[in-house]
């Protein structure tokens, strides 16, 4: 074979007959493959890290009440739920004093743990759970305390009587009867009632409590305000009306409204059950800090389960989920 033919063959195959050039080409290809593999590994690690951090990030954000409420407002407005956004924004404003006090207590508690200093709890969280309130500590509560006329005082008294937890309703009494939950010893706490007096807390007495489920259920009921549930339900009304009006005929209107009612019920249940159980567990184990973080984790888990059920049993909906109160 002539030299010209050899050169022509080498050019056609794309390789040089020079051994040095061949080695350099192999090394170059090796580095290219290594860079590609590293890029894939880095991208995979980043995605896995992001997925693992998402629950932690959302839990921390959900633990701060004003933040979790404000996070929902842009999506509500973009979806046309202006009325619900206004209501949630108003709740954020009036609840800010109490939310700040909760954050202050959590900060003081965590600081005492880190510095190993003494911290005086409102009561023994491991033994007791106080009843939550929708109005206590809010701006509305401050206004109601300033009522002077007999008529206004009577109105405020009626409002106070409505502000109770599920534990003190017929549903709570039925649940206590079914699970065998009884009220035990009463002690005075540092938590204030709506009228300014110190609130008593009662020990929860249960027998044969598998994994502490009965105790947590009672605590969750004490942490769930009836007015809070009603407010979350009101946030769903504009969406139900919107879905009803979107139908072309009466049958479609009713069907769309019924589907949205189902989504609304799952939204409210996911938020209330998740925050109730999560906050109850956190408070019992870790006090004020545990209560906030537990509510955040419970909200994340509750909404996840709620969304899963909706995807399985209801048609797909692009509307935003209910924000926790």
């Amino acid at each position: 074979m002539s030299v010209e033919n050899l050169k022509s063959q080498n050019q056609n195959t794309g390789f040089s007959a020079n051994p040095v050039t061949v080695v350099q080409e192999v090394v170059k290809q090796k580095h290219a493959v290594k860079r590609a593999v590293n890029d894939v590994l880095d991208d995979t690690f980043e995605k896995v890290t992001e997925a693992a951090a998402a629950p932690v990030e959302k839990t921390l954000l959900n633990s701060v009440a004003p933040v979790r409420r404000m996070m929902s407002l842009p999506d509500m407005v973009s979806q046309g739920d202006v009325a619900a956004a206004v209501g949630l924004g108003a709740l954020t404003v009036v609840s800010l004093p109490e939310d700040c006090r909760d954050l202050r207590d959590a900060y003081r508690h965590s600081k005492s743990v880190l510095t190993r200093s003494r911290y005086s709890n409102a009561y023994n969280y491991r033994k007791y759970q106080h009843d939550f309130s929708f109005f206590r500590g809010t701006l509305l509560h401050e206004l109601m305390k300033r009522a002077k006329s007999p008529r206004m005082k009577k109105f405020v008294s009626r409002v106070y009587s409505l502000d109770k937890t599920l534990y003190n309703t017929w549903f709570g009494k039925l649940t206590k009867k079914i699970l065998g939950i009884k009220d035990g010893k009463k002690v005075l706490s540092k938590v204030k009632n709506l009228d300014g007096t110190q609130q008593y807390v009662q020990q929860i007495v249960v027998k044969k409590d598998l994994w502490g489920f009965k105790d947590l259920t009672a605590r969750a009921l004490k942490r769930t305000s009836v007015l809070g549930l009603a407010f979350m339900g009101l946030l769903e009304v504009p969406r139900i009306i919107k879905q009803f009006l979107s139908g072309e005929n009466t049958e479609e209107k009713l069907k769309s409204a019924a589907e949205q009612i189902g989504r609304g019920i799952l939204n409210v249940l996911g938020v209330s059950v998740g925050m109730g159980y999560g906050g109850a567990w956190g408070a019992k184990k870790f006090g004020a800090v545990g209560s906030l973080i537990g509510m955040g984790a419970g909200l994340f888990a509750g909404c996840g389960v709620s969304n899963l059920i909706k995807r399985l049993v209801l048609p797909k909906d692009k509307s935003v989920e209910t924000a926790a109160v």
Side-chain angles (χ1 to χ4, degrees):
M1 181 180 292
S2 65
V3 176
E4 289 77 6
N5 291 337
L6 180 61
K7 289 181 178 180
S8 176
Q9 183 176 356
N10 289 335
Q11 291 174 354
N12 291 335
T13 58
F15 291 95
S16 172
N18 190 336
V20 176
T21 305
V22 172
V23 172
Q24 290 176 343
E25 186 69 24
V26 171
V27 172
K28 183 178 179 181
Q29 294 296 329
K30 178 182 177 181
H31 287 320
V33 172
K34 185 177 180 180
R35 284 195 300 270
V37 172
N38 287 335
D39 289 342
V40 172
L41 291 176
D42 290 341
D43 184 59
T44 303
F45 178 77
E46 183 179 351
K47 290 181 178 179
V48 171
T49 304
E50 182 180 354
V56 177
E57 178 184 353
K58 290 186 177 181
T59 293
L60 294 177
L61 291 175
N62 289 335
S63 299
V64 184
V67 174
R68 70 168 176 258
R69 292 172 185 143
M70 295 298 292
M71 284 171 57
S72 301
L73 295 182
D75 288 334
M76 284 183 170
V77 174
S78 65
Q79 294 291 336
D81 297 328
V82 179
V86 171
L88 187 61
L91 178 67
T92 303
V93 173
V94 300
S95 301
L96 194 58
E98 182 69 5
D99 293 337
C100 290
R101 278 187 281 269
D102 290 340
L103 292 173
R104 179 201 61 191
D105 292 341
Y107 167 75
R108 289 177 177 176
H109 185 198
S110 59
K111 182 181 178 181
S112 69
V113 173
L114 294 174
T115 60
R116 296 183 179 181
S117 58
R118 186 175 181 181
Y119 175 75
S120 179
N121 290 316
Y123 57 89
N124 189 332
Y125 291 106
R126 293 184 179 274
K127 290 185 178 180
Y128 308 98
Q129 170 64 63
H130 75 283
D131 287 80
F132 274 25
S133 167
F134 184 74
F135 287 115
R136 183 172 51 232
T138 66
L139 294 178
L140 290 177
H141 184 207
E142 294 300 319
L143 290 175
M144 289 189 290
K145 286 194 296 185
R146 287 166 171 74
K148 295 182 179 180
S149 66
R151 176 182 291 183
M152 196 62 189
K153 287 183 178 180
K154 188 176 181 180
F155 171 76
V156 169
S157 179
R158 288 179 179 176
V159 173
Y160 283 174
S161 66
L162 295 174
D163 192 7
K164 54 187 176 182
T165 64
L166 280 181
Y167 190 84
N168 297 312
T169 63
W170 66 268
F171 177 79
K173 293 177 181 178
L174 179 62
T175 303
K176 289 167 60 179
K177 184 176 181 181
I178 293 174
L179 297 181
I181 300 171
K182 295 183 179 180
D183 295 321
K185 180 183 177 182
K186 267 188 179 182
V187 297
L188 199 61
S189 72
K190 294 181 181 179
V191 179
K192 297 290 185 67
N193 288 308
L194 290 174
D195 58 7
T197 60
Q198 284 182 280
Q199 183 180 126
Y200 280 92
V201 289
Q202 277 187 293
Q203 192 172 8
I204 300 169
V205 180
V206 293
K207 294 181 179 179
K208 298 180 180 179
D209 194 4
L210 182 63
W211 298 327
F213 171 74
K214 296 179 182 179
D215 180 68
L216 282 183
T217 299
R219 289 171 179 265
L221 291 174
K222 283 176 173 283
R223 298 174 66 93
T224 306
S225 164
V226 173
L227 292 180
L229 287 176
F231 186 84
M232 283 193 288
L234 285 176
L235 292 180
E236 295 293 334
V237 173
R239 297 172 187 166
I240 295 172
I241 295 175
K242 182 179 177 181
Q243 289 295 325
F244 178 79
L245 296 176
S246 65
E248 296 182 357
N249 52 57
T250 303
E251 184 179 352
E252 287 187 3
K253 290 178 184 292
L254 293 175
K255 182 180 179 181
S256 298
E259 291 172 353
Q260 187 58 43
I261 290 174
R263 295 188 192 96
I265 292 174
L266 288 172
N267 287 341
V268 174
L269 284 176
V271 170
S272 57
V273 173
M275 291 184 68
Y277 277 92
W281 184 87
K284 183 177 180 179
K285 297 294 184 181
F286 307 107
V289 177
S291 177
L292 291 181
I293 297 179
M295 285 193 293
L299 176 62
F300 178 78
C303 289
V305 174
S306 173
N307 292 336
L308 176 61
I309 295 174
K310 282 186 286 186
R311 285 196 295 269
L312 292 176
V313 302
L314 292 172
K316 187 176 181 181
D317 179 61
K318 297 181 180 180
S319 63
V320 296
E321 307 305 329
T322 296
V325 299

